Amino acid sequence: MASVTFRDCFLCVSALITFVFVFVTGADFVRFVSFRAIYHNLSGAAPPCRDSVPWSVALRDGVVLKAVAVDVFLLVLFSLQHSLLAWAPVKRVCQNVFGVLSRAMYCFTTAAALQILMHYWHPVTSAPCLWSVHKAPWDIWFPLICFILHFLCWAIICSILLIFDYPELLGIKQVYYECLGLGDPLLLKSERAQRLYAHLRHPVCVELLTVLWLLPTFPLDRLLLAVFLSVYLILAHSLDSQDCTYLRRQLRNKLQLFSAPLEDSDQSNNNTHKQD
């Protein structure tokens, strides 16, 4: 009995550590992708590029080529981790080795790959910017517009994650169900929900594309990041009409649940769970 209790505690602690690490990494990623990139314009700091250098000279510069090579390597490393561990044969091996912690392990390694990418990322400061808004009054207004739109996109992303059962996405729900002897929570969902999860690996595609490309200053290393992640997101997005119909239905159910009176919320939640 003691060993079972210890195992449950180990599973819960592991899932909690993963949740904290993923949450911190998500905050760092928002800062890395959005607010650090916009801060240069809002603070009046020098742009992170050299427009006085011609592209013909910049592309032969050893410093620029080294930075590009490092950044491409980091992006490939992240995509390999994110895709290889999602490959069905590898998923089966991870399931056999890690059991109920396989989803948490996937999220933890994804966060670790992102931390490596952000920590070792090389800004390309010796090449021109693809564009840079620096003429009044847009040098003030356009960064503010970008900041507002980025903030709204991240708010929408957080809302979508709440709709998509984020405890299950992070592997916490699997551990909770295992400790209670309820089995795999994904198997309790309908076939339509399982089909949607299989197709929709990235439910925040449009918002992330907006965040990646909408910036007042766009240096070369940002182009690498935006192109690589955009292609990766588009290739991983395989929704069809059935998935969109199911997604709209789930969104409507969530809105009805939040707008229902308090005394009816429990009954509505049970009915929704049975239908799903």
Side-chain angles (χ1 to χ4, degrees), residues 55 58-59 61-75 121-124 127 220-221 224:
W55 279 107
L59 294 179
D61 190 343
V63 176
V64 174
L65 296 178
K66 179 182 177 181
V68 170
V70 171
D71 293 343
V72 170
F73 172 78
L74 293 172
L75 289 169
W121 186 262
H122 278 46
V124 180
L220 179 59
D221 61 289
L224 295 175

Side-chain angles (χ1 to χ4, degrees), residues 30 34-35 38 143-161 203-204 206-212 214:
V30 172
S34 290
F35 301 126
I38 299 175
L144 288 175
I145 293 173
C146 291
F147 178 86
I148 294 172
L149 291 177
H150 278 228
F151 181 85
L152 292 176
C153 285
W154 288 116
I156 294 173
I157 288 173
C158 293
S159 302
I160 293 176
L161 292 178
V204 292
V206 176
E207 293 78 12
L208 275 179
L209 289 178
T210 302
V211 166
L212 288 172
L214 184 64

Side-chain angles (χ1 to χ4, degrees), residues 168-186:
E168 185 173 358
L169 292 175
L170 295 181
I172 298 174
K173 196 172 184 178
Q174 289 85 333
V175 172
Y176 175 74
Y177 273 48
E178 175 71 15
C179 293
L180 295 180
L182 300 177
D184 188 353
L186 184 60

Side-chain angles (χ1 to χ4, degrees), residues 165 168 173-178 180-195 197 246 250 269-276:
D165 198 358
E168 185 173 358
K173 196 172 184 178
Q174 289 85 333
V175 172
Y176 175 74
Y177 273 48
E178 175 71 15
L180 295 180
L182 300 177
D184 188 353
L186 184 60
L187 298 179
L188 301 178
K189 294 183 179 294
S190 65
E191 293 183 0
R192 289 175 298 177
Q194 296 185 37
R195 185 178 187 275
Y197 284 12
Y246 177 78
Q250 292 305 301
N269 192 19
N270 293 333
N271 293 335
T272 302
H273 181 72
K274 291 178 182 179
Q275 295 173 0
D276 294 345

Side-chain angles (χ1 to χ4, degrees), residues 16-38:
L16 181 60
I17 292 174
T18 299
F19 172 77
V20 174
F21 185 49
V22 171
F23 181 83
V24 172
T25 301
D28 289 341
F29 186 68
V30 172
R31 176 187 57 82
F32 174 79
V33 171
S34 290
F35 301 126
R36 190 181 72 173
I38 299 175

